[in-house]
Amino acid sequence: MPFRPRYTGLIDKYRDRLPVHDDTRIISLGEGNTPLIRLNNVPAQTGKDVDIYVKYEGLNPTGSFKDRGMTMAVTKAVEEGSRAIICASTGNTSAAAAAYAARAGISAFVLIPDGKIAMGKLAQAMMHGAVVIQIKGNFDAGMQLVKEVGKDAPVTIVNSINPYRLQGQKTAAFEIIEELGRAPDFHCLPVGNAGNITAHWIGYCEYSSASGDHVTEACAFCQGHCRFAGGAVVGNRPKMVGYQAAGSAPFMRGEMVDNPETVATAIRIGHPQSWDQAWKVSEESGGWFDECSDEEILAAQKLLAEREGVFCEPASATSLAGALRDIGNGKIPEGSSVVCTLTGHGLKDPDTAIKQSTTPVMTVEATLESVKSVILDNLA
Ligand code: AN7
């Protein structure tokens, strides 16, 4: 068998495009390198000629895209001598922070909205030994507290306001270009704080520029962490489309939302931290924002699970729900290639999955006869 080097995570892979030094101690769990799956059955259902791919970020080590940002944020926190990290979270950031802190041997403090995070995510934060602080308030209140605490407590904030987070997350765009040989025409993402849509745009712009330079205004967000400045765009870049849950859609309202609500708890966010950057991304790329109802989100989650064998969490399905609608109405024209990011794994939120499933679980006698009769009754 030919020797193939072990995959050791996205910082190792893209170190010349990331703010690390040769002797930086990398805190990694082998994140990144996630599958880009071409949908086989769903596109036919639209009646349109489109290529839809899903980037299955749920297959990262802690089950969400947050690992891409967290490997960078924790690597840099450790390099800078920090002994503790802190974040507010709707769940996935807390799971990633807890895991990478455990890996690094430092402490993690996570603020989560009381009763409003999915069970799998809570289990992760607890299991990895984070100090879990449930607040009687939502994510936005937690974020405000974290910003204030971060001013004088000896903790590093690892929410996406930490610029290293977006640097790690931009690598998802690199992977997509490398697999498709070009950028897709449209890239659809669920939007909460809008960090990920911003990070992807930074990635596409860097990769498509002549010199690996940053060429986007949104990239001002890198705060100097891109290697260079300037450079002409040579490759294609996608239109970036951000979908929000209707009950927490500040980008659609055009202003912050104070009491966001949605079944997709991961994106139950009313005060996005990357507000200005995301508007720039939308403008620069020629994309748009839209919203999906909870019903549309759950239907897309189920469609993917039933028709393609891909299980993502509700928030993640928002990207496909929106894309299917915009393919249907022609905003995404025929002949397009579309990538939908599936930000988190379906196992994160088993309660919502079981609640919405219409497939009955049958209980029968433990006999050959009863099992056979179930099979005969249920053959497709
Ligand atoms: C599955 O964990 O904000 O627009 O605190 O978990 O970059 O915020 C999660 C966000 C989409 C939105 N899908 O990404 C947190 C948190 C899933 C998520 C988003 C989140 P951004």
Side-chain angles (χ1 to χ4, degrees):
M1 277 253 277
F3 172 76
R4 193 155 55 91
R6 198 165 62 87
Y7 179 81
T8 49
L10 61 86
I11 297 181
D12 262 350
K13 174 144 190 223
Y14 295 111
R15 60 166 57 239
D16 59 336
R17 290 171 177 269
L18 291 168
V20 287
H21 306 286
D22 289 346
D23 59 353
T24 301
R25 180 184 155 216
I26 309 288
I27 311 298
S28 170
L29 291 164
E31 57 293 309
N33 197 25
T34 55
L36 184 66
I37 304 169
R38 184 158 184 247
L39 298 188
N40 283 338
N41 305 314
V42 167
Q45 246 167 277
T46 67
K48 306 272 177 129
D49 171 28
V50 280
D51 250 346
I52 310 176
Y53 299 84
V54 291
K55 179 74 169 158
Y56 197 10
E57 290 287 275
L59 290 196
N60 274 297
T62 78
S64 88
F65 73 97
K66 302 288 182 181
D67 295 342
R68 290 183 187 272
M70 207 53 74
T71 183
M72 269 307 309
V74 174
T75 290
K76 294 307 279 188
V78 167
E79 184 172 68
E80 288 158 11
S82 180
R83 298 294 311 147
I85 58 175
I86 189 167
C87 65
S89 179
T90 57
N92 280 325
T93 302
S94 68
Y100 283 81
R103 182 80 165 161
I106 62 174
S107 317
F109 298 90
V110 303
L111 274 73
I112 56 171
D114 189 12
K116 289 289 186 178
I117 84 166
M119 198 55 79
K121 305 173 188 180
L122 180 61
Q124 289 177 290
M126 292 171 71
M127 201 64 192
H128 291 304
V131 178
V132 179
I133 307 167
Q134 292 207 67
I135 58 160
K136 295 178 178 166
N138 61 22
F139 167 85
D140 302 305
M143 192 63 239
Q144 195 52 42
L145 286 165
V146 163
K147 283 182 178 172
E148 279 164 38
V149 166
K151 280 182 198 154
D152 47 26
V155 289
T156 302
I157 299 175
V158 294
N159 282 103
S160 56
I161 56 171
N162 177 327
Y164 298 120
R165 279 275 311 275
L166 299 203
Q167 286 297 300
Q169 285 171 215
K170 75 183 180 186
T171 60
F174 297 169
E175 291 176 13
I176 292 166
I177 294 175
E178 283 168 2
E179 272 199 54
L180 295 180
R182 67 190 291 276
D185 299 314
F186 295 86
H187 190 135
C188 305
L189 292 115
V191 168
N193 276 304
N196 209 25
I197 196 168
T198 304
H200 277 78
W201 186 239
I202 293 172
Y204 281 121
C205 292
E206 268 186 48
Y207 213 95
S208 66
S209 76
S211 45
D213 305 349
H214 71 189
V215 289
T216 162
E217 254 192 87
C219 199
F221 196 60
C222 78
Q223 298 175 12
H225 292 297
C226 284
R227 280 292 165 98
F228 317 96
V233 178
V234 293
N236 69 313
R237 298 181 295 178
K239 291 185 166 46
M240 304 297 295
V241 187
Y243 296 109
Q244 299 212 281
S248 39
F251 285 100
M252 294 308 294
R253 305 287 96 79
E255 61 183 12
M256 301 298 169
V257 169
D258 281 338
N259 292 302
E261 270 312 337
T262 168
V263 69
T265 52
I267 50 172
R268 189 171 166 270
I269 295 167
H271 290 238
Q273 298 299 308
S274 295
W275 177 256
D276 294 339
Q277 292 83 355
W279 281 114
K280 277 186 199 150
V281 168
S282 196
E283 217 175 278
E284 284 185 7
S285 76
W288 61 87
F289 294 106
D290 210 334
E291 60 193 319
C292 301
S293 68
D294 281 2
E295 293 71 29
E296 286 176 295
I297 291 170
L298 293 177
Q301 182 196 20
K302 203 155 168 239
L303 183 70
L304 260 182
E306 287 186 353
R307 303 280 294 142
E308 302 282 356
V310 177
F311 190 20
C312 69
E313 67 172 287
S316 309
T318 311
S319 58
L320 182 70
L324 290 177
R325 178 166 5 100
D326 284 335
I327 288 166
N329 65 26
K331 256 181 122 173
I332 296 177
E334 292 210 53
S336 299
S337 59
V338 184
V339 170
C340 295
T341 296
L342 301 181
T343 43
H345 202 291
L347 289 172
K348 291 274 193 175
D349 190 354
D351 298 313
T352 305
I354 290 171
K355 229 183 277 167
Q356 78 141 330
S357 174
T358 46
T359 314
V361 176
M362 278 167 275
T363 308
V364 299
E365 295 302 325
T367 63
L368 192 56
E369 197 186 331
S370 43
V371 172
K372 266 190 183 163
S373 89
V374 170
I375 291 172
L376 291 175
D377 288 350
N378 288 280
L379 281 176

